[in-house]
């Protein structure tokens, strides 16, 4: 499975690990030879070997799915800082995802911003609402509804 960007990555998302870490998950339809995560607070230094982390990989096969799932942990060193990241196969730069970003937690939990929603569907109004929510600069966005189900929006 290769997507229009040329990357075999079909899903890429971030979850909270411990109180000071994030887990970057990425899925592909084929096994990546050397799954990797690059992360940096400076976008110009992103692909430096110093910013490279090997990902852990496992194969998931169900009646409906045959997918390779990779993950790597980010432990940011500076609070409330934007970190940029790219995932893919180290041996194939064409496989790299687009640059994504995540902001580390603020120094005190009182300043965390949350946004939640669900049941939006894939409509122009939902896209407009998501863009409007993003202008609030949240640390977390919690989505419920069909997108959160195991079968998603097939």
């Amino acid at each position: 499975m290769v997507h229009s960007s040329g990357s075999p990555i079909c899903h890429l998302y971030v979850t909270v690990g411990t109180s000071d870490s994030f887990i970057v998950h990425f899925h592909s339809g084929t096994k990546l030879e050397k799954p990797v995560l690059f992360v940096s607070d400076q976008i110009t230094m992103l692909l430096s070997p110093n910013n490279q982390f090997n990902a852990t990989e496992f194969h998931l096969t169900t009646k409906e799915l045959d997918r390779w799932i990779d993950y790597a942990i980010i432990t940011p060193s500076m609070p409330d800082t934007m970190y940029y990241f790219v995932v893919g196969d180290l041996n194939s730069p064409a496989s790299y995802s687009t640059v994504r970003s995540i902001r580390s937690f603020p120094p005190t939990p009182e300043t965390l911003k949350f946004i939640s929603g669900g049941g939006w569907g894939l409509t122009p109004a939902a896209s407009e609402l998501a863009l409007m929510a993003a202008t609030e600069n949240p640390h977390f966005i919690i989505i419920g509804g069909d997108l959160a189900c195991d079968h998603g929006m097939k």
Side-chain angles (χ1 to χ4, degrees):
M1 175 185 301
V2 176
H3 295 271
S4 58
S5 66
S7 174
I9 308 302
C10 57
H11 294 290
L12 171 56
Y13 54 95
V14 178
T15 58
V16 177
T18 61
S19 62
D20 64 349
S21 69
F22 300 101
I23 304 170
V24 178
H25 308 261
F26 50 107
H27 299 206
S28 64
T30 57
K31 180 174 176 42
L32 301 179
E33 190 174 323
K34 189 160 177 64
V36 68
L37 162 74
F38 289 96
V39 62
S40 175
D41 63 332
Q42 298 175 37
I43 199 165
T44 57
M45 298 298 293
L46 183 57
L47 297 179
S48 163
N50 294 335
N51 298 324
Q52 173 186 321
F53 299 88
N54 293 330
T56 300
E57 181 173 64
F58 65 94
H59 189 208
L60 175 66
T61 305
T62 68
K63 154 173 102 168
E64 300 174 340
L65 197 60
D66 184 15
R67 183 174 292 168
W68 290 90
I69 301 174
D70 302 276
Y71 66 92
I73 298 173
I74 297 175
T75 305
S77 57
M78 295 178 289
D80 214 10
T81 300
M82 190 66 72
Y83 286 86
Y84 302 94
F85 64 94
V86 167
V87 299
D89 187 331
L90 181 62
N91 297 330
S92 176
S95 74
Y96 293 174
S97 66
T98 57
V99 175
R100 307 290 176 97
S101 62
I102 189 164
R103 188 166 39 132
S104 58
F105 296 122
T108 60
E110 293 81 18
T111 57
L112 281 173
K113 287 186 184 177
F114 289 84
I115 291 181
S116 67
W120 297 351
L122 299 174
T123 65
S127 295
E128 186 177 330
L129 183 59
L131 289 171
M132 189 182 316
T135 64
E136 294 297 320
N137 207 15
H139 291 92
F140 292 100
I141 300 174
I142 301 167
I143 300 174
D146 289 345
L147 291 177
C149 294
D150 64 348
H151 62 281
M153 301 279 291
K154 288 186 184 180

